[in-house]
Amino acid sequence: MGENSLIQNNTRFNTCMELPPQVNSPGFWKTPSPSSKGLLKNSLPELELQMIIIFCISQTFNFVLKRFGIPKLSSDIITGLVLSYALVDGKGNPINERLFTPAGEQVIGTISVFGFALFLFLTGVKMNVGMIPKTGTKATTIGVAALTVPFLCGLITRELIGGSVTPQDKDKLSFVFVTQTLVPFPVIASLITELNILTSELGRLGLSAALVSDLISFSLTASFITVRIYMESASKALVDITATIAYVAIVVFVVRPLTFSIIKNTPEGRPVKDVYVYSIIVLAIASSLFSDAVDQQVYMGPYILGLAIPDGPPLGSAIASKLDCFVTGVFVPLYVTTSVLRADLRKFKFDALMISNIILVMVITVSKFFACFISCTFYEMPRLDSWALAFIMTSKGVVELGLYTLFKDLNSLAESTFNFLIISILAISAIVPILVKFLYDPSRKYAGYQKRNVMHLKPNAELRVLVCIHRPDDIPAMINLLTASCPTREAPINVSVLHLIELIGRSSPIFISHQVQRKTLSDVSYSQNVILAFNLFENNHWQSITVNTSTAVSPPKSMHEDICTLALDKLTSLIILPFHRKWSLDGDVEFDDNMLRSLNSSVLEIAPCSVGILVNRGYTGRAGILLSSLDAYRFSVCMIFLGGRDDREALTYAKRMSNETSITLTVIHLVAPEEDEVDDERKWDIILDSEVLKDVKHNSLSGNQHKRYVQELTNDGSEMATIVRGLVDEYDLIIAGRSHGIGSRQISGLDLGWTEFPELGVIGDLLASTDIYSRASVLVIRQQKTDDD
């Protein structure tokens, strides 16, 4: 039988195979015998049916288990166990030889191993080996402790319990303890990504520690296999070692410089030529053949080659975009399932070897857990975070499964031991994510115990703002808004600029501060246009504007962590986000970025300060000019006030703008008819509204042309909508709050649940509608949520 045989005993079977094999079927209707036997004699229909069965069962399990926070790896393992039980009888014989024929097993097994080799190559491409010298002492300590402590404990335990088993079985214990000691980076990275904590402090620390452990683990595994070969033939081991060293030298001193030459010859902003990408992929496949030829794992060559490829754009991201979807979505699940098919849970033997393996696995797992936990507490990490990181570092996944399968095929693991190890991977992969989610909540650090908003700032206090940049057209829009915010020496503005880039072609997110000479995780130059534009903006407003520019490269699902963490560190009072929709000059919608919309909603949920969403209509105002020339044009701002905390925050920001003599502010106060009975909470809201409107009313009554107050009576939402639609052609910028006072009759009939953009509120949704042709930009502000709310 082939490598992926479903036969679980050591019985040898003689099978007949037709050569050359029949690949394509003539079709159901043209087959002489239109039955399963007639169709499945061809390898392609058999492979397709096997893949359909595997993916249908796996997706069914995943549909149920993902609601409990259990990752897809567990579903793939369960699928393999179910098929193993269903397709093999108690004696180890296949129940249906037509569905999984020996030739069919060889085909699907070859495809899955080939795919797993590409998976490890892709993992190597995404890893940034340059991080290791720059990794802090905390991550290095945790990474080394997670490997060395369980290794020593496992070695001692193996010697203590080795006397209860035969010498042959004692050698088999070595394979178990070495594999259990490992901390593979692909497993840790996949778990952290699954938990969506890639950009959190804990996620970054776990990735750095796993990277340190993984390189040591990889060397340890290769050395272990070499020693095993040396015990069989010293001369062969010497040849293999020499060939491996030569391969590594060629990769480091030939292949890696060539990749940098490819990057250098690629114009900035342009993709790498496909011929280079495909050549590297072919080279990765060829390296698998080399690894097999020197008696190493077929995955060693692709993994080393992947480490030599520079991660991120343009080359690493190009390779990832070609392979990522199919490798992780098709090949890896196939590999996991076909590997688990070797297990047969009906053949558990609780003999001395099994008991020794259980003890060994428990000792190594517990020692690894406490080694990580003690290392974390040594650096005074919070207790819950220490528990969570310890669980992450002890997790198991597809790499361990691949090693167990390899040792099983080499007869280095007993069948009952293999079954036990598969169950242990299933248990750990299912339990660890649930425990980590319970212990670690990255959003709890954003809890609002302090007032960080515009309204509660002292007069003429420095305004700290965080602006986010996604696209090039966000740069002038944000600069124009900041210029209109009236920065002066007496009331300066501290601007933190965060350029957000999607993480493609790398495993680890990076954060670069461009103001200080600190250790960064990449030598790639990012955000040059953003840096130059905001440096020029700072120079034009010397001593009134301070700019600090940063770049975050992270997955879209965790970008909000970068935004909120930076806002927390910089003590900002306001985060300004660009709207996800872009308009053309003629008023048509050019595109909608749903990823950006989801990001804005995530920031609104956990932001540690107030949040503003800027809807840029293409031009800054009716005249289509930049605000750097305010002296030649009077810029008009309208604030639509209905009442409530968000409107008060928005009005406070608008009043700061009106301190600039070239800006006129008009406050449109939409009031409802007086009510007979008003509850106490509503009364207090009215008092606060009157207080914040007091100076605006006074300036308007005194004839101040820069600040005008207009009161409009509205009975319901339809009247309010009519008034708002009439304002779009009269102002350059319209400011509104996201939500309004309790029981506001002005918006009755316009339920927030029926709006197209709930993140903008009722008024913001009206102004951003495609039904309105306007060149007036819109700023919607939501005041900080505190624990007192």
Side-chain angles (χ1 to χ4, degrees):
M1 299 296 290
E3 184 187 45
N4 288 276
S5 174
L6 294 176
I7 305 303
Q8 300 297 318
N9 53 27
N10 292 323
T11 305
R12 183 180 296 274
F13 290 87
N14 295 320
T15 59
C16 297
M17 299 178 64
E18 184 177 350
L19 294 176
Q22 298 182 19
V23 177
N24 295 309
S25 167
F28 182 81
W29 302 111
K30 294 183 180 181
T31 303
S33 175
S35 61
S36 61
K37 183 176 180 180
L39 288 173
L40 297 181
K41 65 183 294 186
N42 305 97
S43 56
L44 182 59
E46 182 183 358
L47 174 64
E48 292 171 338
L49 182 59
Q50 291 170 349
M51 293 179 66
I52 289 172
I53 292 173
I54 289 173
F55 285 117
C56 286
I57 298 176
S58 176
Q59 291 298 324
T60 301
F61 279 117
N62 186 53
F63 179 78
V64 177
L65 296 179
K66 68 180 181 181
R67 285 160 172 73
F68 301 96
I70 299 176
K72 191 177 182 301
L73 175 66
S74 302
S75 301
D76 296 331
I77 295 176
I78 294 174
T79 301
L81 294 174
V82 169
L83 289 176
S84 175
Y85 186 85
L87 298 176
V88 180
D89 60 21
K91 297 180 180 180
N93 299 319
I95 295 175
N96 190 338
E97 294 185 357
R98 298 176 184 176
L99 180 58
F100 279 84
T101 63
E105 295 168 21
Q106 293 287 344
V107 172
I108 194 171
T110 303
I111 290 176
S112 61
V113 172
F114 166 77
F116 187 63
L118 286 180
F119 168 72
L120 288 185
F121 164 70
L122 194 58
T123 301
V125 170
K126 293 180 179 180
M127 289 174 61
N128 185 4
V129 185
M131 286 175 55
I132 297 178
K134 304 171 184 178
T135 302
T137 55
K138 183 195 295 186
T140 304
T141 302
I142 295 172
V144 173
L147 187 69
T148 56
V149 172
F151 181 84
L152 294 175
C153 292
L155 186 63
I156 295 171
T157 304
R158 186 184 74 95
E159 294 301 323
L160 292 176
I161 64 178
S164 61
V165 297
T166 63
Q168 275 188 331
D169 289 342
K170 185 177 179 180
D171 291 337
K172 292 181 178 179
L173 288 176
S174 301
F175 292 94
V176 175
F177 111 79
V178 169
T179 309
Q180 285 288 319
T181 302
L182 306 181
V183 185
F185 180 85
V187 174
I188 305 301
S190 298
L191 175 61
I192 290 176
T193 303
E194 186 91 25
L195 294 171
N196 198 24
I197 57 173
L198 199 60
T199 57
S200 66
E201 184 179 357
L202 190 73
R204 294 176 187 272
L205 180 59
L207 287 176
S208 300
L211 183 59
V212 174
S213 296
D214 188 62
L215 291 184
I216 303 175
S217 301
F218 183 76
S219 303
L220 179 65
T221 305
S223 302
F224 187 76
I225 295 176
T226 303
V227 170
R228 182 179 179 275
I229 298 171
Y230 180 82
M231 294 171 64
E232 298 176 357
S233 173
S235 59
K236 186 174 183 177
L238 182 61
V239 172
D240 291 347
I241 292 173
T242 304
T244 303
I245 293 175
Y247 172 75
V248 173
I250 292 173
V251 168
V252 173
F253 297 108
V254 178
V255 176
R256 185 167 175 83
L258 284 176
T259 58
F260 280 109
S261 176
I262 292 172
I263 295 173
K264 184 178 180 181
N265 293 327
T266 301
E268 186 176 356
R270 300 297 299 274
V272 176
K273 293 181 180 179
D274 287 344
V275 63
Y276 297 134
V277 176
Y278 296 141
S279 299
I280 292 173
I281 295 175
V282 171
L283 195 61
I285 298 172
S287 64
S288 293
L289 299 176
F290 169 80
S291 301
D292 188 60
V294 297
D295 299 309
Q296 291 287 345
Q297 307 170 65
V298 294
Y299 325 121
M300 184 202 72
Y303 188 59
I304 294 176
L305 179 64
L307 292 174
I309 306 298
D311 63 326
L315 186 56
S317 58
I319 295 173
S321 64
K322 298 289 185 183
L323 295 178
D324 209 351
C325 180
F326 203 72
V327 168
T328 58
V330 178
F331 284 148
V332 173
L334 273 182
Y335 180 77
V336 172
T337 303
T338 54
S339 296
V340 178
L341 280 172
R342 294 168 169 79
D344 188 354
L345 301 185
R346 292 168 292 197
K347 293 188 176 182
F348 263 107
K349 292 182 180 179
F350 285 95
D351 51 10
L353 178 60
M354 173 63 78
I355 296 173
S356 299
N357 278 307
I358 294 175
I359 295 173
L360 187 61
V361 169
M362 291 181 63
V363 169
I364 293 175
T365 303
V366 173
S367 61
K368 183 185 294 185
F369 178 86
F370 281 103
C372 297
F373 177 75
I374 293 172
S375 300
C376 293
T377 54
F378 175 78
Y379 285 97
E380 299 180 348
M381 284 181 59
R383 185 175 296 274
L384 291 179
D385 292 2
S386 301
W387 287 113
L389 184 58
F391 278 118
I392 290 174
M393 297 298 287
T394 54
S395 61
K396 303 295 179 186
V398 65
V399 175
E400 289 88 354
L401 179 63
L403 290 174
Y404 294 149
T405 305
L406 174 66
F407 294 147
K408 171 74 164 52
D409 294 338
L410 296 174
N411 293 323
S412 299
L413 287 179
E415 188 168 1
S416 58
T417 301
F418 180 75
N419 295 337
F420 163 69
L421 294 173
I422 293 297
I423 295 300
S424 68
I425 293 178
L426 175 60
I428 292 175
S429 65
I431 295 173
V432 166
I434 298 175
L435 293 175
V436 174
K437 287 182 179 179
F438 176 76
L439 293 169
Y440 182 68
D441 180 12
S443 64
R444 65 170 176 253
K445 65 181 178 181
Y446 308 126
Y449 298 106
Q450 298 179 348
K451 299 290 186 181
R452 291 181 180 172
N453 52 51
V454 180
M455 185 176 175
H456 289 87
L457 286 176
K458 295 180 179 179
N460 293 330
E462 181 185 55
L463 174 62
R464 292 178 173 266
V465 180
L466 170 62
V467 298
C468 299
I469 304 295
H470 292 271
R471 304 182 300 264
D473 53 289
D474 294 334
I475 299 174
M478 292 295 180
I479 289 178
N480 293 336
L481 179 63
L482 292 170
T483 305
S485 300
C486 189
T488 62
R489 294 185 180 183
E490 295 75 22
I493 300 178
N494 187 306
V495 183
S496 297
V497 182
L498 182 60
H499 186 201
L500 295 162
I501 302 174
E502 184 177 357
L503 180 71
I504 301 176
R506 64 170 77 242
S507 294
S508 304
I510 62 174
F511 187 89
I512 305 171
S513 176
H514 301 287
Q515 266 59 48
V516 293
Q517 297 297 323
R518 64 175 60 177
K519 291 185 291 184
T520 62
L521 303 182
S522 176
D523 297 326
V524 182
S525 178
Y526 293 98
S527 314
Q528 288 301 315
N529 293 336
V530 178
I531 297 170
L532 291 174
F534 279 93
N535 283 346
L536 179 62
F537 172 60
E538 183 180 20
N539 293 333
N540 291 337
H541 298 80
W542 187 250
Q543 293 185 343
S544 60
I545 289 284
T546 304
V547 176
N548 297 289
T549 310
S550 304
T551 299
V553 184
S554 56
K557 289 185 178 180
S558 53
M559 280 183 179
H560 63 281
E561 294 282 348
D562 288 318
I563 297 172
C564 296
T565 299
L566 185 61
L568 192 67
D569 294 341
K570 297 295 184 179
L571 303 176
T572 60
S573 299
L574 179 64
I575 299 172
I576 302 178
L577 305 168
F579 190 53
H580 68 275
R581 175 172 286 182
K582 180 183 178 182
W583 282 267
S584 62
L585 296 180
D586 57 1
D588 295 330
V589 177
E590 286 191 0
F591 66 85
D592 278 333
D593 190 343
N594 291 325
M595 180 274 290
L596 180 55
R597 182 180 183 183
S598 177
L599 172 63
N600 290 347
S601 299
S602 298
V603 173
L604 285 170
E605 290 178 6
I606 66 171
C609 60
S610 297
V611 180
I613 298 179
L614 178 62
V615 182
N616 180 29
R617 284 282 193 170
Y619 281 117
T620 305
R622 292 166 297 156
I625 57 133
L626 293 178
L627 287 175
S628 55
S629 58
L630 281 174
D631 292 338
Y633 175 72
R634 189 171 294 281
F635 191 78
S636 58
V637 178
C638 174
M639 162 61 208
I640 302 175
F641 190 91
L642 276 73
R645 50 181 297 169
D646 290 354
D647 280 4
R648 292 192 291 270
E649 180 79 0
L651 179 57
T652 304
Y653 188 77
K655 288 194 291 186
R656 181 185 179 98
M657 285 184 166
S658 66
N659 293 331
E660 170 62 52
T661 56
S662 299
I663 293 180
T664 61
L665 170 64
T666 302
V667 178
I668 308 294
H669 187 191
L670 303 180
V671 297
E674 295 185 2
E675 302 178 21
D676 297 332
E677 296 183 3
V678 181
D679 57 27
D680 293 338
E681 190 173 3
R682 176 61 178 157
K683 287 180 180 178
W684 179 245
D685 227 18
I686 294 173
I687 292 173
L688 294 177
D689 292 342
S690 301
E691 185 65 26
V692 77
L693 286 167
K694 184 188 299 183
D695 59 334
V696 178
K697 294 179 179 180
H698 175 74
N699 288 323
S700 181
L701 291 174
S702 61
N704 190 330
Q705 297 298 319
H706 296 290
K707 297 180 182 179
R708 298 175 54 233
Y709 173 80
V710 178
Q711 183 172 298
E712 296 278 356
L713 182 66
T714 56
N715 294 302
D716 53 27
S718 61
E719 292 185 8
M720 184 274 295
T722 302
I723 295 174
V724 169
R725 289 174 185 272
L727 301 174
V728 295
D729 294 326
E730 299 181 12
Y731 301 96
D732 300 299
L733 175 66
I734 300 175
I735 302 177
R738 180 172 182 258
S739 61
H740 309 288
I742 302 169
S744 297
R745 292 176 58 187
Q746 303 96 311
I747 59 173
S748 61
L750 298 176
D751 188 2
L752 189 61
W754 291 94
T755 57
E756 184 180 2
F757 308 117
E759 64 270 23
L760 296 181
V762 174
I763 294 180
D765 180 75
L766 282 172
L767 295 171
S769 173
T770 54
D771 298 334
I772 295 180
Y773 177 74
S774 168
R775 290 186 177 178
S777 296
V778 181
L779 178 64
V780 178
I781 295 180
R782 203 250 8 229
Q783 193 181 60
Q784 172 202 19
K785 289 184 178 180
T786 62
D787 289 354
D788 298 332
D789 299 333

